[in-house]
Amino acid sequence: MNIALADDDQNLLAMLVPHLEHAGHTVMLASNGAELMGKIKETRADLIISDINMPGLDGIGIYMQARSLNEYAAVPIILCSGLEIEQGKALAAEDGKLRFLKKPFSLAALHRAIDEVT
């Protein structure tokens, strides 16, 4: 699976990328939302995983922009945050291809979320 991953936490990326690659996925990295949106317009992603709280275009913005693109209208998205984000939870309750993970999360929780949306 081709996964687009955006987070401004380099420690989290250092943990997630090797784990996802070891599980057989290809990972496209972005350090912010604008960079992620540029990458997914150039290369198809089968799953988007994004932090909610990032400078510039945040995870909610990524979700809204991705859903407005025909090719990403139904692509699974996982939004993550260390804060309680009610908007993320509300969106996840409405969209069956969206999940919200509270940081810190375990790798098992991430895999459950991936399995639920794919």
Side-chain angles (χ1 to χ4, degrees):
M1 181 177 344
N2 195 16
I3 298 175
L5 175 60
D7 203 305
D8 55 351
D9 181 344
Q10 296 304 311
N11 293 327
L12 180 65
L13 293 176
M15 178 193 67
L16 288 180
V17 172
H19 179 77
L20 291 168
E21 288 176 341
H22 182 71
H25 305 294
T26 302
V27 180
M28 290 186 299
L29 281 179
S31 59
N32 60 59
E35 183 182 354
L36 179 121
M37 290 306 298
K39 286 185 176 190
I40 68 168
K41 288 177 182 176
E42 294 174 8
T43 305
R44 173 86 173 150
D46 303 308
L47 170 66
I48 297 169
I49 301 173
S50 176
D51 185 19
I52 290 180
N53 297 308
M54 291 184 294
L57 183 63
D58 65 6
I60 301 294
I62 289 169
Y63 170 78
M64 298 299 213
Q65 283 191 23
R67 287 295 185 255
S68 73
L69 301 171
N70 287 338
E71 63 271 27
Y72 286 99
V75 167
I77 298 175
I78 298 172
L79 297 178
C80 314
S81 179
L83 304 173
E84 290 292 332
I85 305 293
E86 294 306 316
Q87 185 180 10
K89 290 180 183 178
L91 288 171
E94 296 171 9
D95 184 336
K97 291 288 188 178
L98 175 68
R99 291 295 178 273
F100 174 81
L101 284 177
K102 175 120 169 56
K103 290 181 180 177
F105 52 83
S106 68
L107 293 173
L110 176 61
H111 282 287
R112 276 193 305 276
I114 291 171
D115 289 344
E116 289 173 2
V117 293
T118 58

